[in-house]
Amino acid sequence: MTKQPHQPGEPGSGEGVAHGGEDLAALLERLLAQVPDRTQKDLAEQAGISYPTLNAWMNRTRGTSRIDPEKLRAMVEVFRHWGVKTTPREFFATVGRPVPGPSGDEREAQLLKLYRQLPESRQRALVKNAEAMLQLSRVI
């Protein structure tokens, strides 16, 4: 399969090429090849992406620079669930963007995990500190 050159500004014209030269279509193709019993339709369905949209990304007929970060994260999670090693960084690099910080849900989960590891006296102190920080932020 020979790649056709793209004109600047066209979908697939190199916008968002990862450092290794891999764009989103190439990344998805490589990762899907690691799970031969899975299809683009399976990925689309499980990641909450319409199949026509995913297929357009795969065929490089639709640009990828404005993909919702949550869709990229969803694809990472689907591949991980399927036993494929990949990272958000790998996906974000293919669309030419840095990986954003953890989502709000991830930060909350991390905070709760840390809180549960503290002894009860430290948990109470942490709650008091958080309440004080909240009061201070309301004043400012």
Side-chain angles (χ1 to χ4, degrees):
M1 178 174 160
T2 306
K3 286 186 185 178
Q4 296 297 317
H6 295 278
Q7 295 300 316
E10 281 185 355
S13 64
E15 65 165 358
V17 175
H19 292 274
E22 192 173 52
D23 66 358
L24 182 63
L27 173 66
L28 292 173
E29 197 172 296
R30 178 172 59 81
L31 297 178
L32 281 167
Q34 295 179 40
V35 281
D37 58 327
R38 302 296 182 157
T39 66
Q40 286 182 33
K41 285 185 179 182
D42 295 329
L43 176 60
E45 181 181 301
Q46 292 186 28
I49 300 166
S50 77
Y51 173 71
T53 297
L54 179 68
N55 188 260
W57 294 336
M58 295 285 300
N59 291 316
R60 297 178 179 90
T61 57
R62 182 179 221 171
T64 59
S65 64
R66 294 185 177 202
I67 296 175
D68 179 347
E70 292 308 312
K71 291 190 185 313
L72 294 171
R73 289 182 189 280
M75 288 189 286
V76 170
E77 291 308 311
V78 169
F79 279 112
R80 287 178 172 175
H81 179 75
W82 291 346
V84 176
K85 289 186 179 183
T86 189
T87 64
R89 182 174 312 281
E90 190 172 31
F91 271 77
F92 280 82
T94 66
V95 297
R97 295 196 312 232
V99 180
S103 69
D105 289 344
E106 291 168 325
R107 285 192 305 270
E108 285 180 19
Q110 180 184 17
L111 185 58
L112 185 56
K113 181 180 176 183
L114 293 170
Y115 174 84
R116 288 178 176 160
Q117 292 175 17
L118 293 171
E120 188 176 340
S121 63
R122 297 283 185 186
Q123 288 176 350
R124 283 193 298 270
L126 183 59
V127 168
K128 285 186 181 215
N129 283 338
E131 289 170 343
M133 288 172 62
L134 181 59
Q135 288 297 324
L136 192 61
S137 68
R138 289 180 180 157
V139 173
I140 297 175

